[in-house]
Amino acid sequence: MPDTASAAAPTRANLPMTKALNAGLRQAMLDDPKVLMMGEDIGPLGGVFRVTEGLHAEFGEKRVLDTPLAESGIIGTAIGLALRGYRPVCEIQFDGFVFPGFDQITSQLARMRNRHEGGVIMPVVVRIPYGGHIGSIEHHQESPEAYFAHTPGLRVVSPSNPHDAYWMMREAIASNDPVIFFEPKSRYWPKGEVDFTAPGTPLHASKVVRTGTSVTVVGHGAMVSVLLQAAELAAAEGISLEVIDLRSISPIDYGPILESVHKTGHLVVAQEAAGFVSVGSEIAATVTERAFYSLEAPVLRVSGFDTPFPPAAVETHFLPSPDRVLEAVDRSLAF
């Protein structure tokens, strides 16, 4: 992915994730005139969360398209554009709004390359702001990633910090496979350093973000910050947590996870989504299969409850907290 930024452009910046994503989208559009944006209110408004702010003014309405309120139409149009050589990036305004486009994603977008035996590419990115912690209402704070991770033919990723958001967006747009790009809403605003010269970790690699020796804890998206908070609290009690950022939900990079479990003998997997038939369930099963004799306790899961997302006033009881993670850590160590 050539970088066409001028020599005078900064090589590093302290940005919130919204601005990092915006920079990644902008660079992808500069690199390739076939990249275009589609979504509801993403043009002059810049999207509900202002991730596409300024792109309409810079690139024009033919490359940053305001669409009707029709997610199925957005995805269907993107499939047609991809077949004609474009690289569309679709914004789904909120996580719960993706379901009107679910049939197009799982029945068409995910299957197109396989249906043509690799004879066509399908470079479509579907951006989905997801997760809780923003005090919103039903259909605005959900975590539907397991639906898409279950679907063969889709790549599913979620960054936890601005640097990863910038580079993962550029890598997702460069992919010839469809990528479902989950953006954790609660991490949109905290700032972090973005290095525009060093991509670092590949798109589908998991990453150890804090080393430890007592228990391995794994999560993705906004849950990574919760795990890091739990690790700080645990350290005060003499417990050393190794924190792994999953980054890619499908495919999952198990290498760092298994290496860590071989060292610690304990694993806790955390997620905002409900626990039944979930990403956490898959990780627990796979690690049990591949590292059974290294485990000193069962793999434990910390998740949202198996209910619809509750009213905002009680969301803190639904979403995993550092305390709930530490309770699982204590149970694992006491086994």
Side-chain angles (χ1 to χ4, degrees):
M1 292 174 294
D3 196 327
T4 58
S6 68
T11 59
R12 294 174 181 269
N14 193 39
L15 300 174
M17 186 180 288
T18 52
K19 297 298 185 184
L21 289 166
N22 181 281
L25 293 167
R26 179 177 181 272
Q27 190 61 55
M29 296 183 79
L30 289 170
D31 289 344
D32 187 347
K34 292 292 187 179
V35 176
L36 53 84
M37 310 291 154
M38 304 169 56
E40 300 161 6
D41 299 321
I42 70 164
L45 180 66
V48 170
F49 297 101
R50 304 300 187 265
V51 171
T52 56
E53 190 170 38
L55 298 181
H56 182 270
E58 182 172 359
F59 295 100
E61 62 182 11
K62 291 186 177 180
R63 293 189 66 191
V64 182
L65 291 75
D66 270 335
T67 67
L69 305 182
E71 287 75 16
S72 180
I74 294 171
I75 303 301
T77 301
I79 292 170
L81 286 165
L83 289 170
R84 296 291 292 180
Y86 292 90
R87 291 183 174 270
V89 180
C90 307
E91 177 181 299
I92 303 299
Q93 200 168 73
F94 282 92
D95 35 49
F97 298 175
V98 72
F99 298 110
F102 188 81
D103 179 48
Q104 287 280 22
I105 293 173
T106 58
S107 297
Q108 305 300 330
L109 181 63
R111 300 167 186 255
M112 195 67 71
R113 292 201 75 182
N114 185 71
R115 186 179 295 153
H116 291 83
E117 299 180 336
V120 301
I121 62 173
M122 195 49 47
V124 176
V125 176
V126 182
R127 295 181 41 242
I128 306 177
Y130 81 115
H133 298 286
I134 68 166
S136 194
I137 57 176
E138 187 181 9
H139 300 309
H140 292 68
Q141 296 205 104
E142 300 175 17
S143 297
E145 58 267 35
Y147 291 111
F148 301 99
H150 179 74
T151 304
L154 298 175
R155 299 175 183 267
V156 185
V157 300
S158 180
S160 67
N161 60 79
H163 178 81
D164 278 354
Y166 173 81
W167 284 106
M168 290 171 72
M169 179 58 72
R170 291 187 60 184
E171 291 177 279
I173 294 171
S175 172
N176 287 333
D177 292 318
V179 179
I180 310 299
F181 199 100
F182 280 101
E183 301 168 9
K185 294 192 293 288
S186 66
R187 304 306 299 168
Y188 266 159
W189 301 284
K191 291 184 176 182
E193 184 175 90
V194 179
D195 185 343
F196 298 112
T197 65
T201 311
L203 180 63
H204 294 296
S206 55
K207 180 169 63 176
V208 176
V209 294
R210 179 181 174 122
T211 58
T213 57
S214 302
V215 178
T216 303
V217 292
V218 176
H220 61 272
M223 193 50 54
V224 176
S225 66
V226 174
L227 296 179
L228 289 170
Q229 292 173 51
E232 285 290 333
L233 295 170
E237 299 178 0
I239 299 171
S240 175
L241 301 187
E242 181 144 294
V243 181
I244 298 179
D245 183 351
L246 200 59
R247 299 177 79 255
S248 177
I249 301 167
S250 180
I252 292 174
D253 174 21
Y254 281 102
I257 301 171
L258 294 171
E259 183 178 350
S260 181
V261 169
H262 290 318
K263 176 175 64 175
T264 66
H266 299 267
L267 176 61
V268 173
V269 186
Q271 62 186 25
E272 290 190 22
F276 184 69
V277 192
S278 66
V279 175
S281 302
E282 179 63 26
I283 294 172
T286 301
V287 171
T288 300
E289 288 176 354
R290 297 187 187 179
F292 181 78
Y293 292 105
S294 294
L295 288 167
E296 298 177 14
V299 178
L300 299 180
R301 291 171 291 160
V302 181
S303 69
F305 300 116
D306 295 324
T307 66
F309 200 94
V314 294
E315 72 173 23
T316 55
H317 300 288
F318 177 89
L319 295 166
S321 63
D323 284 343
R324 284 180 59 193
V325 172
L326 291 175
E327 188 273 335
V329 167
D330 289 343
R331 282 192 289 126
S332 181
L333 290 172
F335 188 80

